[in-house]
């Protein structure tokens, strides 16, 4: 995502039917967020004077109900100070956050948001708080960097790209302390976007190979995840205190009893 929309939104829309203030996207006559900025508005930006159109970015939710957003503060002014916010996440309650917290502290992070929650969770309250605070601080004129131990703590592929787009819209930088994406990144940069996409492909590749391995094992009569047979039956034997040999003897006796009592056998 380019910075074109930010340049456009630094101006009020001159269209009387829109009159969107600086900081907000253009709107339609029906009170919806327009899918693109009005020509009279984006041509106020010298670099876009010859552009045919400037689409409204997904972060502004085109087609949704329009609402005025905060006006940019200190537009064009140099950032005052630098805040480094950190985010740490573990997938399960048993996993420790200590190593992540230590590395963030060593990196000069002033405030850390942490939680134990699965990557698959659609809502991550602490991450939302970190992003919201980063946006507020940046709007006040402070340069902000969101620091994370590794990109996997945030997500992969589309999830990571979506978050990066949100951070870029707030002019917040992103930094990873280790992993494939180690270093500081412009969330909208081409290199970051490609690497984020590759990280998502890597997860899908591992998942596909795992499923292929399971299917191949099943075709060969192998059981995945432990010994063959019914796992519930195995646990039942243990709970009842029966050994496998004892259970086989009882099964043979039960089969013989069934044969003796069947109609075909007694006929």
């Amino acid at each position: 995502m380019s910075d074109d929309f930010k340049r456009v939104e630094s101006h009020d829309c001159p269209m009387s039917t829109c009159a969107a203030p600086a900081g907000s996207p253009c709107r339609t006559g029906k009170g919806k967020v327009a899918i693109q900025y009005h020509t009279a508005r984006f041509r106020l930006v010298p670099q876009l004077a010859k552009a045919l159109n400037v689409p409204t970015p997904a972060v502004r939710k085109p087609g949704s109900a329009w609402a005025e957003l905060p006006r940019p503060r200190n537009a064009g002014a140099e950032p005052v100070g630098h805040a480094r916010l950190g985010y740490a996440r573990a997938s399960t309650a048993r996993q420790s956050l200590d190593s992540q917290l230590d590395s963030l502290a060593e990196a000069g992070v002033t405030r850390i948001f942490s939680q134990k929650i699965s990557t698959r969770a659609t809502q991550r309250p602490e991450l939302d708080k970190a992003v919201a605070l980063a946006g507020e601080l940046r709007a006040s004129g402070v340069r902000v960097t969101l620091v994370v131990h590794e990109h996997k703590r945030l997500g992969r592929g589309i999830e990571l790209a979506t978050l990066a787009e949100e951070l870029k819209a707030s002019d917040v930088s992103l930094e990873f302390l280790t992993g494939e994406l180690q270093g500081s990144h412009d969330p909208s940069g081409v290199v970051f976007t490609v690497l984020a996409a590759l990280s998502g492909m890597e997860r899908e590749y591992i998942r596909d190979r795992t499923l292929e391995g399971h299917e191949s094992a099943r075709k060969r009569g192998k059981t995945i995840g432990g010994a063959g047979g019914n796992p519930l039956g195995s646990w039942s034997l243990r709970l009842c205190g029966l050994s496998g040999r004892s259970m086989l003897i009882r099964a043979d006796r039960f089969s013989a009893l069934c044969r003796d009592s069947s109609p075909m056998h007694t006929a």
Side-chain angles (χ1 to χ4, degrees):
M1 180 179 65
S2 70
D3 289 333
D4 288 349
F5 83 99
K6 288 186 177 181
R7 298 189 183 99
V8 175
E9 290 185 3
S10 66
H11 302 275
D12 294 336
C13 182
M15 294 286 292
S16 59
T17 54
C18 174
S24 298
C26 287
R27 53 184 160 184
T28 66
K30 295 183 179 180
K32 303 290 185 180
V33 176
I35 61 173
Q36 62 185 30
Y37 294 94
H38 291 116
T39 304
R41 188 180 188 186
F42 69 70
R43 287 192 174 171
L44 293 174
V45 181
Q47 300 94 317
L48 303 174
K50 295 183 179 180
L52 298 178
N53 60 72
V54 177
T56 304
V59 71
R60 293 294 191 243
K61 301 178 180 178
S64 64
W66 185 90
E68 182 175 350
L69 300 176
R71 283 178 171 271
R73 301 178 185 177
N74 304 320
E78 288 297 321
V80 180
H82 183 197
R84 291 172 64 80
L85 305 180
Y87 175 70
R89 182 189 64 80
S91 298
T92 67
R94 292 183 178 181
Q95 292 179 329
S96 174
L97 290 168
D98 291 348
S99 61
Q100 295 183 54
L101 297 177
D102 290 343
S103 65
L104 290 172
E106 292 175 3
V109 172
T110 53
R111 181 170 178 181
I112 300 175
F113 296 82
S114 63
Q115 60 187 154
K116 294 187 177 184
I117 191 170
S118 171
T119 308
R120 301 181 182 221
T122 56
Q123 298 294 327
R124 293 186 234 173
E126 292 303 308
L127 178 58
D128 292 341
K129 291 178 184 177
V131 173
L133 179 58
E136 292 174 5
L137 291 173
R138 185 66 192 94
S140 68
V142 177
R143 186 160 61 95
V144 183
T145 299
L146 179 62
V147 186
V148 186
H149 181 69
E150 187 180 10
H151 73 276
K152 296 176 183 178
R153 301 304 97 200
L154 290 179
R156 299 175 189 247
I158 295 177
E159 302 165 348
L160 187 55
T162 301
L163 176 60
E165 183 176 342
E166 185 177 354
L167 293 174
K168 182 59 181 177
S170 300
D171 196 23
V172 175
S173 300
L174 191 57
E175 180 181 340
F176 299 112
L177 301 179
T178 187
E180 297 95 332
L181 300 181
Q182 181 178 2
S184 298
H185 295 275
D186 172 0
S188 68
V190 175
V191 174
F192 175 80
T193 302
V194 171
L195 290 176
L198 289 176
S199 69
M201 293 171 62
E202 174 194 9
R203 178 171 63 177
E204 291 301 318
Y205 174 77
I206 293 174
R207 176 179 176 276
D208 291 344
R209 289 299 300 271
T210 301
L211 292 176
E212 289 174 3
H214 286 182
E215 183 62 25
S216 177
R218 289 191 188 95
K219 289 180 180 179
R220 289 175 170 76
K222 298 180 180 180
T223 302
I224 307 300
N230 186 344
L232 294 179
S234 176
W235 278 105
S236 299
L237 293 181
R238 295 180 187 179
L239 291 174
C240 294
L242 297 175
S243 65
R245 185 171 182 277
S246 298
M247 189 59 189
L248 289 174
I249 294 174
R250 296 192 181 198
D252 289 339
R253 292 176 180 174
F254 179 74
S255 298
L257 179 61
C258 290
R259 288 196 301 272
D260 292 343
S261 59
S262 66
M264 293 182 62
H265 186 76
T266 54

